[in-house]
Amino acid sequence: MSRRSPLRLARAAPGPGFTFSFDGRDIPAHPGQSVAAALWSAGVLSWRTTRVDGAPRGVFCGIGVCFDCLVTVNGRPGQRACVTAAHPGDVVTPQAGTGELP
Amino acid sequence: MVVGAGMVGAACALHAAAAGLRTVLVDRGPVAGGTTGAGEGNLLVSDKEPGPELGLALLSARLWQGLTERHKLGATAEYEAKGGLVVASGEEGLRALLDFAAAQRRSGVEAVPVPADGLHELEPRLAEGLAGGVHYPQDAQVQPALAAARLVRAARDLGAEARFGTTVTAVLRTPDGAVRGVRTDRGDIHAPAVVNAAGTWGGEVAALAGVRLPVLPRRGFVLVTEPLPARTVRHKVYAADYVADVASDSADLQTSAVVEATAAGPVLIGASRERVGFDRTFSLPVVRRLAAQALALFPVLRDVATLRAYTGFRPYLPDHLPAIGPDPRAPGLHHACGHEGAGIGLAPATGHLIAQCLTGVRPDLDLTPFRPDRFTAEEATP
C-alpha cells in the first residue's frame, strides 16, 4: 500500500474497518466509505455489464449523476455505487444490464 | 429555402428536395436545437379530436411508415410503432373517453376499447382499480433529435444544402412586396420561396417579413428515470385528462402524466403545460406533480430514481392549430410552424403539403383551417 493514501493525506482517523461481501468475496471498507471507493481500493474496477453489448461498467462520473456504476445492494438493484455508503455485512452483487425492478 | 432545422423544417427540406426543388435549410443553432430536442417524440393520433388536426395526424402516420422504411428510422432513430393506451380512473371519465374514441373511429382512427380486466394484458405493470381504457395501435414513438438529423441527412443526399449557426436577420422583399430570400449574419440567400419552420420562434421570423403570426411558447417538463428493464412500460400510456389539458386555454399549470419507455431504458414522464414565456427555471412543484401522476398509473415507479428533467417550449397558436401554407400577405412566404406539442408527429404531413404548395400541386388536405392569416387583429396581438 502506498504511504500517500488519501487517509494519510487528510490525517483522517476513521473508526474501525469492516467488510462487506461482493460477489462472494470480502471487501474491506471504512465507515462512511462508498461502495465504489471500497471496490476500487480492493482492485475491483467493474461491476456492471451493459444491457445491449454486455460491456463492462464501473465508476464514470463518481458523483451520482451518470448512473453508470449501478450495483445491487442487499437485493435492491439500481443503486449508485459511488454515492451509496458501505455497511458491515452488506451483500453487494454485480448487475447485468439495468437489473430487476425494485 | 427553409428557416429552422427542427423536425418540421427537416421534413419540409426533405420533401422539397425530393420534389426536385433546389433547397437550402438554415438554422441559427444545430439540428433539433429548439423544441424538437426537448420533446418526447410523440407520434399520436389518440389525442386528436375529429377535425383538421386529426386529418394531418392520419396523413402523417402513413408518411411516417414510408419514411421509416426508406430511412431505416427503426434502427437509426428509435422509431417504434408501440401503440398508445389511454386510461380512465373513474366511470365518468371512461364514458367521455369511449365517446371520444367512437367519434375518432368514424374519422378513420383505430381505437379499441379495453375493459378494466383487459388493461393488464396490454400493460402488466399498470395500477389496479382503473375503470378501463382505449388502445390506439396507430400511435408511435421516435427519438426526435435523431429523426430530425436523419431527415436532414436524407435531404442533403438529395442535393439540399444545410447551413447551421446561421441566423436570419431580415426577409428580403421586392418593391411590390414579394419575398425574394433572406439576409443572414453570414450573407444573403436568394430564393423565390421562404418556409418559416422556426417553431416557437416562428412569430419572430414572420415579423421579419412584416406579417403577424401569434405563435407563443407553452412550457413543458419531462422527467427521465434511471434505465429500467425492457418492457416495464410497453405503450405510450396516459390518463384521459391529457386530451382536455392539451385543448385548454388556461394559462395556469396543467399536468397529466404521459409515460413511455425509451430504447435506451429510461422511462420518460411528461407532460406539463404552462404559459410562462421563455422562462427555463426548473420547477420542483411541477415535476413533483408529474411524478405523483405517473405513480398513480405505474406504482412500480415508486422506488425508481429520476436521472434528470428537461424543459422545452411548445409553439402554440390561439386556436391550437398550426399555420401551414402560403401567406397571402407576403407572396413567397410559407409557414410551417405552431404545431404545439405535436410537431414531431405532424412533421411529415406538413413537409409533404408544403412541398405540394411550392410545386403548384393541389395539396392532399384542405389547408383552409391552417391559413396563417386566419387570426383577427386582436388574436394576433398577444
Side-chain angles (χ1 to χ4, degrees):
Chain A
M1 236 353 120
S2 159
R3 289 161 50 80
R4 289 173 59 83
S5 89
L7 289 175
R8 192 178 291 263
L9 288 171
R11 298 200 185 95
F18 57 85
T19 64
F20 64 88
S21 117
F22 170 75
D23 212 10
R25 169 183 165 191
D26 281 344
I27 304 289
H30 297 290
Q33 200 171 21
S34 71
V35 170
L39 287 171
W40 265 19
S41 299
V44 181
L45 299 182
S46 132
W47 48 85
R48 182 174 76 89
T49 50
T50 60
R51 59 192 269 157
V52 177
D53 296 327
R57 287 293 185 273
V59 171
F60 180 65
C61 78
I63 54 173
V65 174
C66 75
F67 282 64
D68 227 17
C69 65
L70 298 181
V71 72
T72 298
V73 180
N74 299 327
R76 191 172 165 179
Q79 303 304 298
R80 289 167 286 173
C82 69
V83 293
T84 302
H87 296 285
D90 276 350
V91 178
V92 177
T93 46
Q95 190 166 310
T98 53
E100 299 300 311
L101 278 168
Chain B
M1 67 150 304
V2 180
V3 183
M7 191 65 218
V8 172
C12 288
L14 174 58
H15 280 96
L21 298 173
R22 216 184 123 209
T23 307
V24 181
L25 173 67
V26 301
D27 197 294
R28 62 182 172 186
V31 176
T35 305
T36 295
E40 298 166 285
N42 285 329
L43 318 182
L44 300 185
V45 298
S46 55
D47 65 338
K48 314 278 188 297
E49 63 181 352
E53 197 187 5
L54 181 58
L56 209 53
L58 288 168
L59 174 59
S60 262
R62 286 199 298 280
L63 293 172
W64 267 111
Q65 288 174 8
L67 284 173
T68 298
E69 283 162 28
R70 259 195 311 289
H71 305 295
K72 303 188 173 50
L73 298 183
T76 59
E78 302 176 8
Y79 175 90
E80 197 182 342
K82 55 168 54 176
L85 181 64
V86 184
V87 297
S89 51
E91 287 304 325
E92 198 183 324
L94 179 61
R95 267 196 303 279
L97 174 63
L98 291 175
D99 288 348
F100 186 72
Q104 288 175 316
R105 268 196 301 280
R106 289 192 287 276
S107 296
V109 174
E110 292 172 48
V112 186
V114 184
D117 62 4
L119 289 173
H120 289 94
E121 203 174 306
L122 288 169
E123 214 41 82
R125 301 282 189 169
L126 208 54
E128 302 290 336
L130 295 163
V134 175
H135 179 215
Y136 291 90
Q138 289 157 306
D139 282 357
Q141 180 175 322
V142 74
Q143 208 282 23
L146 288 175
R150 295 303 303 187
L151 296 201
V152 168
R153 181 176 295 180
R156 281 175 143 168
D157 289 345
L158 291 172
E161 187 190 332
R163 299 188 193 173
F164 301 111
T166 302
T167 305
V168 171
T169 55
V171 173
L172 307 173
R173 315 277 295 264
T174 62
D176 59 0
V179 166
R180 60 177 182 87
V182 297
R183 176 149 297 158
T184 78
D185 58 350
R186 298 190 179 192
D188 292 357
I189 301 171
H190 295 283
V194 172
V195 178
N196 172 17
T200 315
W201 299 271
E204 294 173 29
V205 172
L208 292 178
V211 297
R212 286 208 142 152
L213 190 68
V215 185
L216 285 173
R218 204 171 179 193
R219 185 173 77 176
F221 283 100
V222 176
L223 277 171
V224 185
T225 76
E226 62 179 297
L228 297 177
R231 294 178 66 72
T232 302
V233 176
R234 301 182 179 186
H235 300 80
K236 285 202 170 268
V237 181
Y238 61 91
D241 322 318
Y242 174 74
V243 177
D245 280 359
V246 173
S248 165
D249 284 319
S250 166
D252 298 338
L253 168 69
Q254 289 112 36
T255 60
S256 45
V258 178
V259 183
E260 71 241 319
T262 60
V267 165
L268 303 183
I269 301 169
S272 62
R273 305 180 116 77
E274 291 169 282
R275 297 181 187 173
V276 291
F278 285 103
D279 180 1
R280 305 193 72 92
T281 313
F282 178 77
S283 169
L284 187 59
V286 174
V287 298
R288 193 176 271 156
R289 250 167 78 166
L290 280 178
Q293 289 172 334
L295 283 184
L297 291 176
F298 288 98
V300 67
L301 298 176
R302 183 165 304 278
D303 292 318
V304 166
T306 51
L307 299 181
R308 62 194 177 94
Y310 57 90
T311 188
F313 300 98
R314 305 174 185 88
Y316 79 92
L317 284 160
D319 58 2
H320 302 283
L321 290 176
I324 302 172
D327 192 327
R329 301 167 296 181
L333 178 66
H334 294 66
H335 298 283
C337 58
H339 295 71
E340 200 156 341
I344 305 303
L346 302 179
T350 303
H352 174 71
L353 295 165
I354 287 289
Q356 289 181 318
C357 294
L358 294 174
T359 51
V361 176
R362 188 188 153 92
D364 287 348
L365 291 180
D366 175 17
L367 295 183
T368 310
F370 309 118
R371 273 177 33 236
D373 59 339
R374 66 187 185 270
F375 302 103
T376 64
E378 280 156 63
E379 284 174 322
T381 311

